[in-house]
Amino acid sequence: MHDFKYIKSELYAEDVPVREIARKVGTPLYIYSQNTLLRHLKAYQDAFDDSSHIICYALKANSNPAVLRLLAKNGCGADVVSGGELHLARKAGIPAHKIVYAGVGKKEDEIVQALKARILMFNIESSDEMAAINEIAGRLNKKAPIALRVNPDIDPETHPYISTGLRESKFGIPIENALEHYKLARKLPHLEILGIHKHIGSQITSIQPFIDSFKKVLFLAQTLKSNGIEIRHLDMGGGLGIPYSNEHPPHPAELSRAVLPLLKGNNFNLILEPGRSIAGNAGIFVSTVLYLKKHPEKEFVIVDGGMNDLLRPSLYNAFHSVQPVKKNKRRKSLADIVGPICESGDFLAKNRELNHLSRGDLIAVMSSGAYGFTMSSNYNSRPRAAEVMVKGKEFYVVRARETYRDLSRGATIPGFLK
Ligand code: LLP
């Protein structure tokens, strides 16, 4: 469900015509609906209302400061994977006691930063990292609150690049080695064991992988208990998919109906780390048609946004629906929607049947609110796109389009070249 809909033949973001925003702000452009963001957050909050829980939104999906502030104001916590994300989460007003920190490569300064901020817990991914955090915490005269990220070896049946819970994945500790790792952690004086963390992958469209992996984690919690290690937080990660085309991923309520009964009789605090299911369908990417090009075998629609702005199609062959910002009744044709980047892999959509587009027309790439702007780059020295948030009849530029000045920010010419 989202707030991008046609009124007559015109695409609106909430109550604002997309065309009006594009005219004022230019393209390429990301537009987010605050209403959709809130509705998605509320779906989780309502679903888990009856249980002790924290929704720790995964910043990697969309870390625009206005998006973060909106979520923070509505009671959301954060899942961060870098010092930069921790900084943004804190700046947006997300309280430290609602922040969990994952990632296989936490650096020393980042660990210090998180300890000083007093986050809820580190989700530790290896014994080496465990030793490092213990050592750094000791130096600061602190105890580091931790969970171990376990790898439950469950196939989430999603794209291999975004599935993380399989045995061969670099993430987490194989679940069969978890007990020995927890015993090791118990011996380290500057660690405080608080939880178990798992995250098996992203864009998961069935409930079963969540149930299977959760059962494994619960079993581990019991094993730990019988070894004298009490767990408070069960962090079940993120991963709930969204409809990009005709997928029917489970609703958060379905997730809670499947998971909460398994927790009966325990008083664990549940942590959820949704990213995509909060932000994905709350955003679109808008681009202008520059040229049309016809090869004997193929038609191309060349637009001003490319893989530097929205990498998912190029990187994962991900499907995003492409819609005209103004519907027309022209003849339909099959075309690739491609960007301006000098790479054959630069496309937003392949073999799409769209009513004929002309130069200057606007297109909207749907479901682009998650892993859109956050994965964008300056490749081909293109300034990054602007971001807009819509609320009812109003819209706000929540990140200005980059300028050429940004392209050389921080760069210096050494003296011998002056
Ligand atoms: N927690 C952890 C530890 C994660 O690694 C991730 C995502 C999440 C939570 C949030 O997962 P979500 O609810 O968004 O599925 N760039 C890829 C997705 C990579 C996801 C990485 N980890 C894409 O565009 O599909």
Side-chain angles (χ1 to χ4, degrees):
M1 266 258 275
H2 57 71
D3 290 87
F4 301 97
K5 55 197 176 294
Y6 286 96
I7 299 179
K8 292 185 180 149
S9 52
E10 181 89 33
L11 184 64
Y12 277 67
E14 298 194 13
D15 302 325
V16 190
V18 168
R19 204 149 51 132
E20 188 184 315
I21 305 174
R23 189 162 50 81
K24 293 211 174 116
V25 182
T27 60
L29 167 71
Y30 278 96
I31 302 178
Y32 309 125
S33 155
Q34 73 96 39
N35 197 39
T36 312
L37 285 163
L38 283 186
R39 194 176 49 243
H40 289 167
L41 173 61
K42 199 164 178 309
Y44 275 98
Q45 290 169 332
D46 290 350
F48 289 90
D49 203 22
D50 290 341
S51 62
S52 166
H53 76 278
I54 310 175
I55 312 289
C56 291
Y57 167 70
L59 262 73
K60 60 179 83 63
N62 184 328
S63 53
N64 180 283
V67 170
L68 299 183
R69 176 62 64 95
L70 177 74
L71 298 175
K73 280 186 109 170
N74 286 277
C76 199
D79 158 47
V80 304
V81 289
S82 68
E85 286 192 348
L86 175 56
H87 167 79
L88 289 174
R90 296 291 294 124
K91 207 166 166 213
I94 297 176
H97 66 265
K98 288 188 183 173
I99 298 180
V100 289
Y101 185 177
V104 294
K106 302 177 187 78
K107 287 165 52 170
E108 174 158 345
D109 57 336
E110 295 176 313
I111 294 168
V112 169
Q113 179 190 351
L115 282 169
K116 287 190 171 160
R118 295 167 168 272
I119 61 164
L120 178 61
M121 64 184 189
F122 290 89
N123 290 330
I124 290 183
E125 307 232 12
S126 64
S127 50
D128 254 15
E129 182 192 335
M130 191 161 44
I133 293 182
N134 176 62
E135 193 263 311
I136 296 165
R139 229 188 298 145
L140 295 180
N141 228 345
K142 286 182 185 291
K143 259 198 166 201
I146 65 147
L148 298 190
R149 175 172 181 175
V150 298
N151 185 338
D153 193 27
I154 295 283
D155 187 356
E157 290 156 17
T158 184
H159 192 288
Y161 278 22
I162 52 177
S163 101
T164 51
L166 283 170
R167 199 179 290 274
E168 62 263 33
S169 147
K170 73 170 176 179
F171 297 101
I173 293 158
I175 198 156
E176 63 269 25
N177 303 339
L179 178 59
E180 67 189 71
H181 278 75
Y182 272 97
K183 284 183 173 167
L184 199 64
R186 183 168 51 183
K187 289 204 194 109
L188 299 178
H190 306 293
L191 301 184
E192 185 188 5
I193 299 171
L194 289 186
I196 307 176
H197 175 232
K198 63 111 182 145
H199 169 81
I200 53 173
S202 200
Q203 186 53 17
I204 301 170
T205 51
S206 71
I207 202 83
Q208 204 55 43
F210 288 104
I211 300 178
D212 294 345
S213 56
F214 198 69
K215 281 186 178 161
K216 284 193 171 186
V217 165
L218 274 176
F219 184 73
L220 172 62
Q222 281 157 7
T223 311
L224 292 176
K225 192 171 181 187
S226 54
N227 281 272
I229 301 172
E230 286 272 357
I231 293 301
R232 164 95 185 101
H233 304 293
L234 287 186
D235 184 340
M236 57 182 296
L240 214 55
I242 62 168
Y244 282 99
S245 55
N246 45 21
E247 303 93 333
H248 297 284
H251 186 272
E254 220 177 303
L255 190 63
S256 74
R257 275 199 298 276
V259 160
L260 292 184
L262 303 175
L263 285 175
K264 279 245 158 63
N266 294 299
N267 54 356
F268 294 119
N269 178 52
L270 209 53
I271 295 177
L272 295 110
E273 303 175 344
R276 189 190 317 265
S277 49
I278 302 273
N281 278 326
I284 61 172
F285 176 63
V286 181
S287 200
T288 303
V289 175
L290 298 176
Y291 305 109
L292 303 161
K293 186 167 170 174
K294 216 171 181 164
H295 285 176
E297 299 293 317
K298 196 114 210 159
E299 268 187 57
F300 296 97
V301 176
I302 301 165
V303 297
D304 65 357
M307 66 188 289
N308 57 311
D309 298 301
L310 180 63
L311 183 60
R312 304 193 70 256
S314 300
L315 188 59
Y316 314 117
N317 210 10
F319 176 95
H320 285 258
S321 162
V322 175
Q323 303 290 337
V325 166
K326 182 145 180 61
K327 277 188 183 164
N328 67 54
K329 295 210 167 82
R330 298 178 207 145
R331 69 171 172 82
K332 288 208 177 223
S333 58
L334 210 60
D336 285 6
I337 320 287
V338 301
I341 298 294
C342 299
E343 294 271 351
S344 306
D346 175 28
F347 62 91
L348 297 175
K350 285 207 153 162
N351 295 320
R352 289 302 162 79
E353 194 169 50
L354 290 169
N355 289 103
H356 187 76
L357 291 159
S358 311
R359 289 183 64 184
D361 284 350
L362 294 167
I363 57 151
V365 183
M366 310 306 285
S367 317
S368 300
Y371 307 108
F373 187 91
T374 48
M375 290 175 75
S376 68
S377 77
N378 288 125
Y379 187 38
N380 278 199
S381 294
R382 292 188 169 273
R384 252 177 280 233
E387 293 176 285
V388 160
M389 184 182 281
V390 176
K391 181 177 192 298
K393 288 188 168 61
E394 306 293 331
F395 74 88
Y396 307 85
V397 176
V398 290
R399 190 188 315 262
R401 181 178 308 290
E402 281 184 349
T403 63
Y404 287 163
R405 187 184 275 252
D406 293 313
L407 297 178
S408 53
R409 188 156 34 103
T412 47
I413 308 291
F416 76 93
L417 291 175
K418 279 182 183 155

